Amino acid sequence: MTAPVADSFYRAGYPEVYDLVMRHRGRDHTAEAATLARLVRRRNPAAASLLDVACGTGLHLEHLRAHFAAVTGVDLSVEMLARAGRRVPGVTLHEGDMRELDLGAAFDVLVCLFAVPHLRCTDELDRTVARLAAHLTPGGVLLVEPWYTPEEFVPGYIARDMVQEQDRVVVRLSHSTWLDGARDQIRMTVHQAYADPAGGIGHDTATTELTLFRPEHFAAAFARAGLAAAHVGAPPFRWGLWIARPAGAQ
């Protein structure tokens, strides 16, 4: 999923490496799509249209279209959307910032998966949720994936990925720490080395800033947008999901 703010992390050419790493990181996109569909059907059995907000390279869209009659994606990155278009040909895709989303359409379902941490602050969270709510049909369902809270974050956390697919190899290391003394924002530095027979060996380092929202921040944002919301456990989603509907929806 693409950050709503362009930074060195989302540089040109990044979507190819992102897609390769995400496909081998262990997330079961098929099972996640089925979980999303099941949660939606419990609340709106007739739901037919879905918008994937910050759809990235279409890893979820590819499987969500098996559950909903009409699926649409939106992302800030044109490169991400190009790759999504190749993965899910025929699906409507829009370029757009989720904080300013205005597609002039309403959907029975909106999903926003691992994108909210890229927002800078609670004001941006409020603005984003309000824009998502504006794209829901009266009985629509909004599903948002949270991430770590400040209390769960481990300063200095290091993660690594090593992926080989045919003749291409990617090694990804990341280091995360508090951002300039903040206690709800982190800076993640990512170093990637990659090699293939044609291009040889290359590497780069980039950074991105992420916000660690608390449950009360999500609850307040949904309430301000006129949505009734609850956080639920939703395996295989590690951090569960926030599920919201227009207040009074049956």
Side-chain angles (χ1 to χ4, degrees), residues 51-215:
L51 176 65
D52 186 352
V53 179
C55 66
T57 60
L59 291 170
H60 284 100
L61 272 178
E62 180 180 16
H63 303 286
L64 286 166
R65 67 176 175 175
H67 298 278
F68 299 94
V71 296
T72 301
V74 60
D75 200 276
L76 185 61
S77 167
V78 173
E79 284 193 70
M80 290 278 197
L81 290 172
R83 186 164 288 273
R86 293 192 291 273
R87 173 166 282 120
V88 284
V91 170
T92 301
L93 300 170
H94 299 275
E95 180 186 356
D97 184 332
M98 63 185 184
R99 298 168 303 176
E100 311 292 343
L101 192 64
D102 186 7
L103 300 182
F107 301 85
D108 299 324
V109 185
L110 270 74
V111 299
C112 185
L113 307 175
F114 194 66
V116 168
H118 291 288
L119 299 171
R120 292 192 186 103
C121 58
T122 54
D123 285 347
E124 288 198 354
L125 178 62
D126 288 349
R127 196 163 81 205
T128 297
V129 171
R131 295 313 309 152
L132 300 184
H135 288 76
L136 280 175
T137 58
V141 184
L142 168 62
L143 303 102
V144 177
E145 183 180 20
W147 198 44
Y148 291 108
T149 65
E151 292 73 24
E152 294 169 326
F153 176 64
V154 178
Y157 182 76
I158 294 173
R160 58 100 179 145
D161 299 273
M162 186 175 75
V163 177
Q164 181 168 0
E165 189 172 87
Q166 299 177 341
D167 291 333
R168 185 168 177 78
V169 177
V170 174
V171 178
R172 181 184 187 273
L173 295 172
S174 68
H175 174 262
S176 301
T177 189
W178 292 117
L179 174 64
D180 302 329
R183 282 298 177 264
D184 61 355
Q185 291 181 299
I186 65 172
R187 177 182 291 114
M188 180 185 292
T189 301
V190 176
H191 183 80
Q192 296 177 140
Y194 33 86
D196 61 67
I201 297 175
H203 65 91
D204 55 62
T205 300
T207 62
T208 192
E209 297 172 2
L210 302 164
T211 303
L212 309 180
F213 294 105
R214 292 184 170 88

Side-chain angles (χ1 to χ4, degrees), residues 232-243:
V232 301
F237 289 96
R238 177 178 175 183
W239 294 282
L241 292 166
W242 280 92
I243 304 180

